[in-house]
């Protein structure tokens, strides 16, 4: 029994040791990968769970009724990057405890900062919209004062966190360098105009509540945090794909807010004069805010139909309202026009180009069929790309940014071209910047047989058909997105750069075009790639120029079919007979073969 127990323990220990060795090997491989490539993450902690597994294997059995000594509660489970923990998730409380707030924040690209600005702007809007309402209308009462104060101080807490946590961590540019030092970022914020405005926003005027009561006007400095509102607008417009929609909503909100403030002033003027004291003031019936807002709309938009003011105060108030209404309404209309004009600038440019082209074609009496194809090209190009010429959009960008965009858009397609595989990577990058995007309509000829080839084509979207046969209309092959054709003509010389087939667009096709001139300018700087391309082009051209007879296809029909070649041994015998000058059967057979060759010729 002792021997069997020892043998069993030894087997278990050996198995555990093998597992431990395997884990150490995996860790060693990860360290090697990290040394080779620093970007590869590795686990720096040693596998602590495996040695612990050795103890229960050699430990004696626990006493009856007791718990095993090696057992651990479920809360002590380990989490690592090994396979054993791949599908485990840390509890949310642990993730929250281990979260580290970033030491610096990029205000231009950090979405978390944009989300925080949203909460700051919501707090700012609470103060801007509700302070006039609570001051003018009798909506703040002793019964609900605790609710108003709770939201007020919650907004103050958001203001305070913005100053202490976020604004002191914002990166900035100084002398072309991005500054991420904590002390420098804090000093930059403390010297800025925004810090002064933020301090004014949080002036503790609430202490006057103990003397004059809870007066909402004491919170008016909270409305001075307008810089956060404009910053939020800039950041949000930068990440929205259709920013003009937000601009329209924002401009509408400006108009609504001006009417909101005017309605509050009207109720205050009515309360000052006395509710219902004259026909001009609010009579105190119905919903006070809705009725005052209706009066403000009619006044600012100068609709008319309002009762005439009676007192001097009412006349002055009404005159100021009319002047303010005309000015505000004209500003709102002008701003809305600018927003809509900016949103439709591309559409306006497209329409003006099409109108000018149609006018030109009508002036020269171009046939209607051609005009219809031109119109179709304009419409499809605009709806598929959103622009007529992509180069116009990228011409203002620096060369490096244009390269980055070209790599993201075209590199996956160009890298799969067999002709360019093995070439210098930088040469391909330079080539990406020279590609031009062209749209072909259905049945348009991309290239014709026999013409000089000066471009290579890469199919970005759509399909093209290669035509051949006796009538030149038989579809030999259909090329789809990602296919390449015309690459042989791009490098061939000495008459080998003529097109060998007709290629037409099957439906709408968007192609990338690379000119031969552009490629030659690029290859001057990459001689090794130039040699490789020349070699590949010669090989491909040689394969294409092989006669069909060599490939097994039937050749031209002959009157006398060709005879098989004479065996070498037989030819040697015939040659020997010829040298001896014999007149036997071999000499006659040799003479007969000469006659057959002459007839075939």
């Amino acid at each position: 029994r002792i021997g069997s127990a020892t043998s069993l323990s030894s087997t278990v220990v050996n198995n555990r040791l093998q597992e431990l060795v395997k884990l150490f090997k995996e860790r060693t491989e990860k360290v090697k990968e990290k040394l080779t490539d620093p970007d590869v993450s590795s686990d720096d902690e040693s596998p602590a769970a495996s040695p612990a597994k050795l103890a229960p294997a050699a430990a004696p059995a626990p006493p009856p009724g007791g718990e095993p000594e090696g057992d651990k509660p479920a809360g002590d489970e380990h989490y690592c990057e090994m396979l054993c923990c791949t599908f485990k998730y840390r509890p949310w409380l642990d993730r929250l405890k281990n979260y580290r707030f970033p030491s610096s924040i990029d205000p231009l690209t950090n979405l978390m900062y944009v989300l925080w600005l949203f909460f700051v702007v919501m707090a700012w809007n609470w103060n801007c919209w509700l302070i006039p309402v609570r001051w003018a209308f009798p909506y703040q009462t002793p019964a609900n004062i605790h609710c108003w104060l709770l939201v007020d101080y919650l907004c103050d807490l958001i203001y305070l966190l913005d100053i202490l946590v976020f604004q002191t961590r914002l990166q900035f540019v100084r002398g072309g360098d991005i500054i991420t030092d904590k002390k420098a970022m804090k000093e930059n914020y403390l010297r800025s105009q925004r810090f002064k405005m933020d301090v004014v926003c949080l002036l503790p005027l609430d202490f006057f509540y103990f003397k004059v009561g809870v007066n909402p006007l004491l919170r008016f400095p909270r409305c001075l945090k307008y810089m956060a509102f404009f910053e939020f607008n800039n950041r949000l417009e930068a990440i929205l794909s259709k920013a003009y929609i937000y601009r329209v909503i924002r401009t509408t909100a400006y108009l609504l807010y001006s009417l909101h403030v005017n309605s509050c002033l009207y109720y205050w003027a009515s309360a000052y004069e006395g509710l219902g004291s004259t026909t001009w003031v609010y009579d105190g019936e119905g919903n006070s805010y809705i009725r005052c807002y209706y009066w403000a709309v009619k006044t600012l938009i100068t609709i008319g139909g309002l009762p005439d003011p009676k007192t001097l105060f009412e006349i002055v108030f009404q005159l100021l309202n009319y002047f303010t209404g005309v000015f505000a309404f004209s500003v709102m209309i002008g701003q809305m026009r600018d927003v809509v004009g900016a949103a439709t600038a591309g559409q306006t440019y497209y329409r003006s180009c099409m109108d000018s082209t149609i006018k030109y074609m009508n002036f020269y009496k171009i046939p209607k069929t051609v005009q219809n194809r031109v119109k179709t090209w304009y419409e499809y190009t605009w709806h598929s790309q959103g622009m007529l010429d992509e180069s116009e959009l990228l011409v203002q960008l620096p060369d490096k940014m244009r390269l980055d965009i070209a790599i993201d858009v075209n590199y996956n397609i160009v890298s799969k071209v067999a002709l360019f595989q093995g070439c210098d990577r930088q040469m391909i990058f330079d080539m990406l910047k020279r590609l031009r995007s062209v749209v072909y309509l259905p049945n348009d000829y991309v290239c014709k047989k026999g013409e000089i080839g000066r471009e290579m084509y890469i199919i970005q979207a759509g399909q093209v058909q290669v035509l051949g046969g006796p009538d030149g209309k038989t579809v030999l092959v259909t090329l789809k997105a990602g296919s390449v054709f015309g690459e042989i003509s791009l490098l061939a010389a000495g008459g080998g750069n003529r097109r060998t087939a007709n290629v037409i667009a099957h439906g709408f096709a968007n192609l990338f075009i690379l000119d031969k001139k552009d490629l030659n300018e690029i290859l001057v700087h990459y001689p090794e790639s130039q040699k490789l391309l020349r070699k590949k082009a010669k090989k491909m051209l040689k394969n294409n120029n092989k006669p069909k007879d060599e490939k097994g296809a039937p050749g031209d029909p002959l009157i006398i079919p060709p005879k098989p070649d004479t065996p070498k041994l037989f030819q040697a015998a015939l040659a020997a007979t010829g040298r001896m000058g014999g007149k036997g059967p071999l000499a006659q057979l040799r003479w007969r073969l000469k006659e057959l060759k002459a007839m075939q010729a």
Side-chain angles (χ1 to χ4, degrees):
R1 293 179 59 187
I2 295 175
S4 62
T6 303
S7 176
L8 181 60
S9 299
S10 175
T11 303
V12 174
V13 170
N14 287 334
N15 292 337
R16 299 299 185 188
L17 286 174
Q18 290 177 3
E19 292 181 4
L20 182 61
V21 170
K22 183 179 179 181
L23 290 175
F24 279 139
K25 285 183 178 180
E26 293 178 357
R27 183 171 177 239
T28 304
E29 292 298 329
K30 286 194 173 185
V31 172
K32 287 181 179 179
E33 292 180 2
K34 185 172 181 63
L35 292 175
T36 304
D37 187 358
D39 296 334
V40 178
S41 61
S42 62
D43 191 3
D44 295 333
E45 298 180 359
S46 59
S50 298
K53 293 179 182 179
L54 294 173
E67 294 182 359
E69 296 179 1
D71 290 350
K72 295 183 179 181
D76 294 340
E77 292 183 358
H78 73 286
Y79 294 90
C80 61
E81 296 180 2
M82 296 294 185
L83 185 61
C84 58
C85 299
T86 301
F87 301 101
K88 290 183 181 180
Y89 293 93
R90 289 181 181 272
W92 66 271
L93 188 58
D94 291 347
R95 294 201 304 268
L96 186 62
K97 289 180 180 179
N98 296 330
Y99 178 76
R100 294 292 180 268
F101 198 79
S103 59
S104 64
I105 301 173
D106 185 1
L108 300 179
T109 60
N110 196 316
L111 295 180
M112 182 188 68
Y113 180 64
V114 178
L115 180 62
W116 172 251
L117 285 178
F118 170 76
F119 290 108
V120 176
V121 170
M122 291 298 293
W124 178 76
N125 274 281
W126 166 270
N127 293 315
C128 290
W129 286 77
L130 273 300
I131 287 176
V133 172
R134 293 160 60 186
W135 165 72
F137 292 91
Y139 290 153
Q140 179 177 297
T141 61
N144 60 16
I145 188 65
H146 60 280
C147 297
W148 294 103
L149 293 179
L150 176 63
V151 181
D152 285 346
Y153 293 127
L154 180 61
C155 295
D156 292 348
L157 178 61
I158 294 177
Y159 280 17
L160 188 62
L161 289 176
D162 183 58
I163 295 175
L164 299 178
V165 179
F166 285 88
Q167 296 301 322
T168 56
R169 299 171 185 261
L170 293 183
Q171 302 173 4
F172 65 98
V173 179
R174 183 172 59 191
D177 296 330
I178 300 177
I179 306 301
T180 59
D181 181 66
K182 291 183 178 180
K183 184 178 180 181
M185 291 187 295
K186 185 180 296 185
E187 292 178 353
N188 178 70
Y189 173 61
L190 295 178
R191 290 195 302 265
S192 64
Q193 181 68 22
R194 182 165 183 172
F195 172 71
K196 300 175 184 178
M197 297 298 298
D198 290 346
V199 171
V200 173
C201 289
L202 288 177
L203 286 177
L205 301 180
D206 299 32
F207 288 109
F208 289 99
Y209 285 172
F210 297 104
K211 185 168 184 171
V212 298
V214 182
N215 189 347
L217 285 182
L218 294 175
R219 293 186 55 82
F220 180 75
R222 305 295 190 273
C223 300
L224 298 179
K225 201 175 177 65
Y226 59 89
M227 290 186 178
F229 172 70
F230 291 113
E231 184 182 6
F232 174 72
N233 290 334
N234 295 333
R235 301 291 176 264
L236 188 61
E237 291 179 6
I239 63 177
L240 291 178
S241 58
K242 296 183 179 180
Y244 65 89
I245 297 178
Y246 174 72
R247 296 190 190 107
V248 172
I249 296 175
R250 185 182 63 201
T251 305
T252 305
Y254 290 159
L255 178 60
L256 296 178
Y257 182 73
S258 62
L259 296 173
H260 168 78
V261 173
N262 195 30
S263 64
C264 295
L265 292 175
Y266 175 66
Y267 185 88
W268 170 81
S270 299
Y272 178 79
E273 287 286 300
L275 299 179
S277 59
T278 64
T279 57
W280 181 83
V281 299
Y282 169 59
D283 56 5
E285 297 180 1
N287 188 295
S288 57
Y289 180 78
I290 297 298
R291 289 181 176 270
C292 291
Y293 200 92
Y294 172 74
W295 182 91
V297 172
K298 295 181 68 175
T299 303
L300 283 183
I301 304 181
T302 61
I303 296 177
L306 295 172
D308 296 331
K310 303 299 182 182
T311 65
L312 178 63
F313 175 81
E314 294 174 356
I315 293 174
V316 173
F317 187 89
Q318 188 70 6
L319 286 176
L320 292 176
N321 251 323
Y322 280 140
F323 286 130
T324 306
V326 171
F327 176 75
F329 195 65
S330 60
V331 169
M332 295 299 172
I333 291 178
Q335 189 170 4
M336 189 68 74
R337 184 205 61 185
D338 294 340
V339 170
V340 175
T344 59
Q347 186 74 20
T348 304
Y349 172 73
Y350 154 72
R351 180 56 56 184
S352 63
C353 290
M354 177 178 270
D355 293 343
S356 300
T357 305
I358 293 175
K359 183 178 179 181
Y360 174 85
M361 292 188 296
N362 289 333
F363 179 79
Y364 286 99
K365 299 179 181 180
I366 305 297
K368 288 295 181 181
T369 55
V370 178
Q371 292 191 23
N372 292 335
R373 294 183 64 82
V374 172
K375 294 176 184 177
T376 304
W377 180 88
Y378 266 106
E379 293 179 1
Y380 177 79
T381 304
W382 175 256
H383 290 297
S384 62
Q385 300 181 170
M387 62 192 73
L388 297 178
D389 189 0
E390 294 180 353
S391 60
E392 294 181 359
L393 180 66
L394 304 177
V395 69
Q396 299 177 353
L397 297 177
D399 189 69
K400 180 63 173 63
M401 291 186 179
R402 277 187 290 168
L403 175 60
D404 293 340
I405 294 176
I407 291 174
D408 292 335
V409 176
N410 306 328
Y411 182 73
N412 289 335
I413 297 177
V414 177
S415 61
K416 297 177 183 178
V417 179
L419 183 64
F420 300 119
Q421 290 180 357
C423 295
D424 193 311
R425 186 182 181 89
Q426 189 60 41
M427 187 215 75
I428 297 180
F429 289 166
D430 292 344
M431 189 177 64
L432 292 177
K433 295 185 293 184
R434 305 294 185 98
L435 294 178
R436 294 184 295 107
S437 179
V438 179
V439 174
Y440 288 90
L441 302 183
N443 299 323
D444 272 357
Y445 276 92
V446 180
C447 57
K448 293 185 177 181
K449 183 177 180 180
E451 68 180 9
I452 304 298
R454 298 183 180 89
E455 303 93 5
M456 181 191 73
Y457 301 91
I458 304 174
I459 304 176
Q460 181 189 17
Q463 299 178 358
V464 299
Q465 292 179 338
V466 181
L467 304 182
D471 55 352
K473 298 181 180 180
T474 304
V475 179
L476 301 179
V477 66
T478 300
L479 304 178
K480 299 182 179 180
S483 301
V484 180
F485 61 95
E487 67 273 20
I488 300 178
S489 300
L490 204 64
L491 294 169
N497 56 345
R498 290 188 177 272
R499 304 297 186 187
T500 58
N502 294 328
V503 180
I504 66 170
H506 181 62
F508 292 95
N510 195 342
L511 308 181
F512 286 127
I513 298 179
L514 177 64
D515 289 334
K516 187 173 184 177
K517 179 182 178 182
D518 294 336
L519 182 61
N520 291 335
E521 292 177 357
I522 296 172
L523 291 178
V524 171
H525 306 285
Y526 303 95
E528 297 297 329
S529 298
Q530 185 177 16
K531 293 178 182 178
L532 180 62
L533 290 177
R534 297 290 183 188
K535 184 177 179 181
K536 286 185 176 182
K538 289 179 180 179
K539 185 177 180 180
M540 297 171 70
L541 190 62
K542 182 179 179 181
N543 293 336
N544 288 349
N545 289 339
K546 283 184 178 181
K548 294 184 178 181
D549 304 84
E550 298 180 9
K551 298 180 181 180
D556 295 334
L558 298 175
I559 300 177
I560 301 177
K563 297 291 183 180
D565 292 340
T566 306
K568 292 184 179 180
L569 183 60
F570 191 49
Q571 288 181 356
L574 291 177
T577 304
R579 284 194 298 269
M580 291 184 298
K583 302 293 184 180
L586 289 178
Q588 296 179 2
L589 186 58
R590 183 168 176 267
W591 175 79
R592 181 60 179 168
L593 287 175
K594 285 184 178 181
E595 286 187 346
L596 287 176
K597 288 182 180 181
M599 292 176 64
Q600 289 180 3

